[in-house]
Amino acid sequence: MLKIDNLHVAVEGQEILKGLTLEVPAGEVHAIMGPNGSGKSTLAHVLAGRPGYEVVSGTVTFQGRDLLSLPPEQRAREGMFLGFQYPVEIPGVNNVYLLKAAVNAARKHRGLPEVDAFEFLTLVREKMHLMRMDESMLSRGVNEGFSGGEKKRNEVLQMLVLEPRLAVLDETDSGLDIDALKVVANGVNTLRAPERSLVLVTHYQRLLDYIVPDRVHVLVKGRIVQSGDKTLALELERRGYDWLIGEPESPGRRAAGHDGRAASAIEGARLAGRPS
Amino acid sequence: MSAALLARLKDEYGAVRGALPDSVVGGARRREAIETLCAQGLPATREENWRYANLRVLERARFAPCPCAAQVADLPAPLEGFPRLVFVDGVLAAGEPVQHAGLEVHSLRSGAQGADSSSAQRIAALPEARLALLNEAFATDGAALRVRREAGAARIELLFVACAPAQTGASYPRVHLSIEAGARLTLVERHLSAGDEASLVNGALRVDLAEGACLEHYRLQQTSARAAWFDTAEATLAKDARYSLIALSAGALAAHSTVHIRLAGPGAEIALCAAAIGDRQQSQDTYVLSEHMAPRTRTEQIFRGIASGRARVAFNGKIAVRENARGTDSRQSLRGLLAGPEAEIDLRPQLEIYTDEVRCSHGATAGKLDENMLFYLLSRGLEPEVAQRLLKWAFLEDVVSRIELPELRRCIEHELAGRMSELASLKELLR
């Protein structure tokens, strides 16, 4: 499904991904974990085609095609979905109509007629119910005035309606309380299928209690330094990332794996102005 | 330039004055208007409030009224429930007699109303408003409307169609609107072109709202891409009068609108929502003065402007609070969207406060299309062009959402879709 080979990516001249290699076969769920600033979000954005990320070298193939040669909109139509860490608010653009436009763009790409409006709304309502979203969100602007948790649910709702072949969820668990996390995980789990792959980018093992991954990869300084099955996530939860980083760390840095807030504050200060 | 232009203006006036109808504006007032204008001079871009206007179009134009045009075909469909008067090059061309108790509508030329001598001085009281003097001097017709309380929820549409090229003369739409105490009116005012001529249109509108009167006014400027469209509007609001003005300017090569709102009675309220769209070489310039002259008066000013191509979109919004206007509440929100590297947006929020105990807020921002929003839409599979147009349209939402007539709203959305997209399906992407 997705094959990344020796990918080097720079942002504003600074190399963030330094030879990342990863393969996600169809039907599998892979988790990418790692400390702040390791390049997790960069990976997610590069896959979606965000401008400003310079691919220095390496290849990414998606369903056998060169993903990097496609513009973002075409990646989406080919079945690639990015769940944003920070979903953007777009006042004035209706939530449900954006969804419909997205579905129709993909259908047109596959030579299918436009979706029937009534059937579409029925489907959206059903998925909203699953995501425990209020129907009033249908008529609102995209993410307009949504709380952090509502935005994340809305991302998963879009994914459920679009039924992508490959979904990359960038820290979809961050900022969610435990009930919302379960709802989001439940939504994601309904999408698991033999023909579909999921990449979960996350800091914490907690999400993986509810979405059990087939593989777990640890991204440190732009490279996958360790891969394993779901037990690797448990080990990271217990031991933190230090044993994988391979160099002496400050006490604050050691807290990274255990205390997200402390880690964020420290990393946030250190990485100010730099994409992570 | 100016002296030669004024000399030509005088000559043109001298040549046609005998033929100008007294019933629209009396001869003495016309002469006075020309003299005042010549003394003050025509507006120039060195003046602050005309800085962004395209005044060069005046140099090429003939000031005298253009000859009466033939009937115009292909008018847009009338709005349901709205009697309509059609003016071609400023002269009443068509319109069923309005059958609505309490709503009197006359053509100025018919003389039924009688020329109203107070209007000229009022409209041209401000230096920014002196193009109204030009209208005063040359107007050949116009509409006089009076709404009485028994009219209930009265409605009317005034359609102004520009036909003649500016070399043959200008057109001078003129409207006197008086709404009596407690009366209400919904007015749709549209300015169009019959073809793609480079017409010169110079309109003047005067509105008087008596105590508790209410006006819902929609103004659409959709003249041809070569036209020059100037307009001066002045409204005076008595106690507790309410005026909602929603203005959309998308047409013309050079459009300049001056709006002067006088909140003369306590509790009077103006909500002005304006949107301007400029593309190619267009200039869209608006000056609004909201003058608080009595206690507890309110202003809400919203402007959204989009400039693409090499267009220039400007909005100068001034709120003046006079000494006795305690308890004034004014809000101003001006936003511009730069949609091209050579486009220009100029926003000027101004506050002038001469009393205490007021609440005045204002904000002005200009920026490009939001890259994050754009990428979000692309990442959902939308074409870049569609995504961009969608964001432009969404930018106007604050104004378009205020249109309370569904039919008119659809019409405007259609117009915007035509301007911003070949894709009819775009419309349904909006709320």
Side-chain angles (χ1 to χ4, degrees):
Chain A
M1 175 69 70
L2 177 71
K3 195 162 183 251
I4 305 172
D5 191 24
N6 198 24
L7 186 66
H8 289 255
V9 173
V11 180
E12 290 171 1
Q14 187 173 1
E15 198 170 46
I16 307 288
L17 299 183
K18 302 168 181 173
L20 188 143
T21 296
L22 175 69
E23 186 167 356
V24 184
E28 292 194 1
V29 176
H30 287 215
I32 312 255
M33 304 183 72
N36 282 311
S38 58
K40 301 189 300 295
S41 285
T42 297
L43 174 63
H45 285 135
V46 166
L47 292 177
R50 191 181 195 108
Y53 292 81
E54 186 200 347
V55 177
V56 181
S57 64
T59 58
V60 179
T61 49
F62 170 51
Q63 302 183 108
R65 290 193 65 178
D66 174 13
L67 184 74
L68 300 177
S69 68
L70 304 176
E73 65 278 12
Q74 205 171 331
R75 296 181 196 197
R77 287 180 227 149
E78 294 270 354
M80 154 97 206
F81 180 89
L82 171 64
F84 283 67
Q85 183 180 3
Y86 302 110
V88 59
E89 294 192 24
I90 315 182
V93 177
N94 179 286
N95 218 12
V96 74
Y97 282 136
L98 168 62
L99 255 180
K100 192 163 166 234
V103 166
N104 281 334
R107 287 177 68 90
K108 191 178 166 193
H109 186 66
R110 279 179 267 151
L112 297 170
E114 290 206 347
V115 65
D116 174 81
F118 182 76
E119 283 173 24
F120 176 75
L121 268 182
T122 308
L123 173 79
V124 172
R125 288 212 169 91
E126 180 193 313
K127 304 292 186 195
M128 283 184 95
H129 183 69
L130 181 69
M131 294 310 295
R132 300 201 192 158
M133 288 169 75
D134 193 283
E135 275 206 20
S136 67
M137 288 184 190
L138 274 176
S139 54
R140 282 158 68 179
V142 173
N143 292 318
E144 187 181 0
F146 286 22
S147 71
E150 285 169 340
K151 285 178 184 171
K152 296 298 176 77
R153 286 180 207 213
N154 197 33
E155 291 295 287
V156 177
L157 171 74
Q158 292 182 10
M159 181 179 77
L160 294 179
V161 173
L162 286 168
E163 300 188 328
R165 302 297 301 274
L166 168 69
V168 179
L169 300 180
D170 187 8
E171 302 204 16
T172 298
D173 53 333
S174 68
L176 293 183
D177 61 36
I178 193 70
D179 293 326
L181 183 75
K182 285 180 188 170
V183 169
V184 162
N186 182 38
V188 173
N189 281 329
T190 62
L191 214 61
R192 292 183 81 150
E195 73 282 1
R196 184 172 292 129
S197 306
L198 292 166
V199 176
L200 308 172
V201 172
T202 181
H203 269 299
Y204 309 117
Q205 189 268 337
R206 197 178 62 166
L207 175 70
L208 307 180
D209 286 341
Y210 303 100
I211 309 172
V212 181
D214 298 295
R215 300 284 292 166
V216 175
H217 309 277
V218 183
L219 183 60
V220 175
K221 291 180 181 168
R223 277 198 202 93
I224 303 283
V225 295
Q226 185 89 10
S227 296
D229 61 13
K230 61 185 180 187
T231 59
L232 177 57
L234 296 169
E235 191 173 0
L236 289 171
E237 183 72 4
R238 209 171 54 244
R239 295 176 64 186
Y241 291 111
D242 288 359
W243 60 286
L244 293 167
I245 291 170
E247 60 185 62
E249 293 295 325
S250 70
R253 180 58 179 261
R254 251 202 303 281
H258 305 289
D259 183 346
R261 265 178 304 185
S264 296
I266 292 160
E267 290 293 302
R270 200 169 63 81
L271 292 171
R274 237 178 63 195
S276 60
Chain B
M1 179 280 274
S2 188
L5 202 57
L6 286 175
R8 177 161 71 77
L9 171 62
K10 265 185 180 164
D11 288 349
E12 286 188 27
Y13 174 72
V16 300
R17 66 181 175 190
L20 296 168
D22 272 355
S23 56
V24 179
V25 182
R29 280 179 52 216
R30 291 183 187 271
R31 202 162 45 247
E32 194 185 313
I34 279 289
E35 281 164 9
T36 311
L37 192 56
C38 288
Q40 294 182 349
L42 285 164
T45 47
R46 63 174 180 276
E47 291 171 65
E48 199 52 42
N49 290 314
W50 295 93
R51 214 166 96 195
Y52 301 111
N54 176 354
L55 297 168
R56 290 187 308 276
V57 289
L58 293 176
E59 295 168 31
R60 297 188 293 270
R62 185 167 182 264
F63 294 109
C66 57
C68 276
Q71 290 289 325
V72 176
D74 293 336
L75 293 176
L79 295 165
E80 205 183 321
F82 281 76
R84 172 154 94 176
L85 298 183
V86 180
F87 291 81
V88 177
D89 286 332
V91 177
L92 182 66
E96 297 289 310
V98 176
Q99 308 280 352
H100 189 114
L103 171 61
E104 289 172 24
V105 183
H106 300 285
S107 143
L108 289 174
R109 189 190 271 255
S110 73
Q113 167 96 355
D116 180 350
S117 61
S118 66
S119 65
Q121 288 91 345
R122 280 264 228 38
I123 288 184
L126 292 175
E128 295 82 20
R130 63 195 191 272
L131 278 186
L133 292 169
L134 198 59
N135 179 293
E136 183 88 359
F138 287 115
T140 46
D141 199 359
L145 295 91
R146 181 173 290 273
V147 189
R148 302 189 200 285
R149 191 196 284 266
E150 62 263 32
R155 299 173 144 199
I156 194 159
E157 180 186 0
L158 300 176
L159 184 60
F160 294 94
V161 186
C163 279
Q167 302 91 304
T168 64
S171 70
Y172 295 96
R174 191 169 176 87
V175 179
H176 295 172
L177 168 59
S178 171
I179 305 186
E180 297 190 348
R184 305 169 59 89
L185 177 71
T186 302
L187 166 66
V188 175
E189 181 192 351
R190 287 203 262 190
H191 295 261
L192 309 170
S193 290
D196 67 343
E197 290 295 353
S199 308
L200 171 62
V201 181
N202 179 29
L205 163 73
R206 198 194 84 221
V207 175
D208 276 300
L209 300 184
E211 183 173 336
C214 184
L215 173 61
E216 190 180 329
H217 184 186
Y218 299 98
R219 260 193 141 188
L220 314 177
Q221 189 276 110
Q222 302 158 284
T223 54
S224 89
R226 295 171 63 214
W229 188 85
F230 294 91
D231 189 85
T232 310
E234 202 228 49
T236 302
L237 281 68
K239 185 175 176 230
D240 296 328
R242 283 188 297 136
Y243 184 10
S244 158
L245 172 58
I246 294 176
L248 178 79
S249 185
L253 172 67
H256 181 94
S257 165
T258 298
V259 181
H260 180 192
I261 309 287
R262 294 152 42 94
L263 299 162
E269 203 175 307
I270 168 77
L272 181 145
C273 300
I277 304 164
D279 199 355
R280 298 177 300 276
Q281 316 266 346
Q282 278 182 295
S283 87
Q284 297 278 0
D285 186 18
T286 306
Y287 170 67
V288 176
L289 168 62
S290 195
E291 203 177 355
H292 292 254
M293 305 159 76
R296 303 185 319 281
T297 41
R298 292 164 62 93
T299 289
E300 184 184 20
Q301 238 180 52
I302 294 177
F303 175 75
R304 300 290 179 263
I306 301 179
S308 314
R310 299 180 59 194
R312 169 186 271 181
V313 173
F315 186 90
N316 183 355
K318 182 170 172 179
I319 291 169
V321 183
R322 303 297 176 215
E323 286 83 351
N324 61 342
R326 289 176 311 281
T328 282
D329 185 348
S330 79
R331 282 171 291 162
Q332 205 179 23
S333 158
L334 317 180
R335 285 194 205 152
L337 179 62
L338 272 171
E342 291 182 277
E344 185 178 329
I345 296 270
D346 302 283
L347 303 176
R348 279 187 65 195
Q350 299 186 70
L351 271 175
E352 214 176 81
I353 304 173
Y354 296 99
T355 187
D356 299 326
E357 294 175 52
V358 297
R359 192 165 60 186
C360 298
S361 69
H362 63 106
T365 56
K368 295 178 182 173
L369 278 181
D370 187 301
E371 294 288 337
N372 291 321
M373 291 185 188
L374 200 56
F375 177 65
Y376 192 85
L377 296 178
L378 296 180
S379 80
R380 298 304 180 243
L382 272 64
E383 289 285 349
E385 272 176 46
V386 175
Q388 286 189 14
R389 285 170 177 151
L390 191 54
L391 290 178
K392 284 188 197 173
W393 196 331
F395 185 79
L396 301 176
E397 172 69 12
D398 292 339
V399 172
V400 176
S401 66
R402 299 290 186 108
I403 301 170
E404 286 176 13
L405 304 171
E407 198 186 345
L408 183 67
R409 204 187 135 124
R410 274 197 297 278
C411 172
I412 287 173
E413 286 179 346
H414 187 75
E415 158 73 14
L416 291 179
R419 252 167 223 282
M420 298 205 283
S421 171
E422 299 72 48
L423 299 154
S425 64
L426 181 62
K427 195 176 137 189
E428 71 167 29
L429 294 178
L430 299 148
R431 73 169 84 205

